Amino acid sequence: MIAADRSEAIQEAATLLGRLDPGRIAKDRADLSYQRFFVSKAALTGRKLDEIPMPAGTEIRILHVRRYDVDLVPSPDLMLEIGDRVGVLVPADQIAAARSHFGDTVKSAAEFSYVSVGFGMVLGVLLGLVPIPIPGVGTVSLGIGGGPLIVALILGRLRRTGPIAWVMPLPANIVLRNFGLTLFLATVGINSGQAFVTTVASQGPLLLIIGALVLLTTVSIVLGVGVYVLKLPYDDLLGVASGATGNPAILVYATRMAPTEWPDIGYAMIFPSATIVKVIAVQIIGLIALAG
């Protein structure tokens, strides 16, 4: 039984081995059965497939991994995540042992570790308080915006440190993300509503127009370079443009325009660096203004 991410690879393998006979193994499950299980045990996450021990006395072969809306071909260095659905070949009398090994419950996909989240936030805040000397300007700090971002990038790369897993299941991530976005927009609206009306009434629509022009200029440059110079795919470009603006509400709209994982990936790649640059730039400009 062969799994590949390209149809050409299957044809090449068939030429070397013999001929294609789709579905033959799946039809006869007397000795070997194809099963799908949810990965719900934290001990299996953050580790490469070739490092995950299988139950003693079992013959389990992972052929397929479905991560939410994406199908993955398993490789030795692929790391499982909570909520993944693995397709395995297993002897019929060992199905129960295989199910117990992976957990096979979807409930864990909505749970996350408060220890890892809390510890990561504390490390991020502490890093944001560290002063960074800049010759000729003074000292700046990443603050509570840049510090947690850098720590999150580092911990996300590590994925696991001993018993602590730093990766949050996607369903829990989406719920927290949408809830946080709702609170963010509500807080901004409540705190800025009166000031917005007062400013527009006193200054006229000039500042509103300037703000719109600044945003449109940023987005136009990003889209123009992405389309005509870098030749980025549409869904990638939406994520990059959202990250450049630094507004999560734009990302939500982008994911509805292109319902794939790529806008989120593009946003995650651009947003941290863009935010850190903005934080440092604002502090440098403030220090220069005070010095002047």
Side-chain angles (χ1 to χ4, degrees):
M1 188 169 188
I2 299 174
D5 57 356
R6 296 181 300 109
S7 59
E8 296 82 1
I10 296 180
Q11 294 293 338
E12 293 172 3
T15 302
L16 293 174
L17 298 176
R19 63 184 177 85
L20 288 177
D21 193 3
R24 180 164 185 150
I25 291 180
K27 290 179 181 177
D28 183 3
R29 300 193 178 191
D31 300 312
L32 207 57
S33 180
Y34 179 78
Q35 300 287 328
R36 288 187 176 184
F37 305 120
F38 282 103
V39 177
S40 58
K41 290 187 176 181
L44 301 179
T45 64
R47 303 168 65 181
K48 297 180 180 179
L49 282 182
D50 59 355
E51 298 175 352
I52 297 177
M54 293 299 174
T58 60
E59 297 288 341
I60 300 176
R61 297 291 181 267
I62 300 177
L63 300 182
H64 170 248
V65 176
R66 183 168 180 82
R67 182 161 297 165
Y68 308 107
D69 297 331
V70 180
D71 292 303
L72 304 174
V73 176
S75 60
D77 59 348
L78 176 66
M79 295 184 182
L80 296 179
E81 295 183 5
I82 294 292
D84 285 354
R85 197 177 185 189
V86 294
V88 302
L89 278 180
V90 59
D93 59 346
Q94 297 177 5
I95 293 177
R99 177 177 287 109
S100 176
H101 177 67
F102 290 103
D104 198 30
T105 172
V106 72
K107 178 181 177 182
S108 61
E111 299 175 348
F112 60 91
S113 172
Y114 291 97
V115 175
S116 60
V117 173
F119 192 60
M121 293 174 63
V122 171
L123 291 177
V125 172
L126 292 178
L127 179 61
L129 297 177
V130 176
I132 302 174
I134 297 181
V137 176
T139 59
V140 299
S141 61
L142 297 175
I144 60 174
L149 276 174
I150 292 181
V151 170
L153 291 172
I154 296 174
L155 297 181
R157 176 64 178 86
L158 295 176
R159 303 181 74 83
R160 171 178 289 276
T161 305
I164 301 178
W166 303 111
V167 180
M168 183 182 298
L170 184 59
N173 187 306
I174 293 176
V175 171
L176 290 178
R177 184 193 310 172
N178 291 335
F179 182 66
L181 176 60
T182 302
L183 293 181
F184 168 75
L185 294 177
T187 302
V188 170
I190 292 173
N191 293 335
S192 305
Q194 182 177 1
F196 174 79
V197 174
T198 302
T199 302
V200 173
S202 59
Q203 302 291 335
L206 178 61
L207 293 180
L208 186 61
I209 295 175
I210 292 175
L213 291 176
V214 170
L215 179 61
L216 290 175
T217 301
T218 302
V219 174
S220 299
I221 293 174
V222 171
L223 293 178
V225 173
V227 171
Y228 297 106
V229 179
L230 301 179
K231 309 295 183 180
L232 294 178
Y234 178 70
D235 45 1
D236 283 348
L237 192 55
L238 288 178
V240 171
S242 302
T245 60
N247 192 330
I250 299 178
L251 175 64
V252 174
Y253 182 75
T255 55
R256 293 178 180 176
M257 293 179 63
T260 67
E261 298 293 327
W262 293 107
D264 289 327
I265 295 174
Y267 182 86
M269 293 175 63
I270 300 300
F271 177 74
S273 56
T275 301
I276 293 171
V277 169
K278 290 177 182 178
V279 170
I280 295 178
V282 168
Q283 296 194 35
I284 291 177
I285 293 174
L287 291 174
I288 295 176
L290 289 176

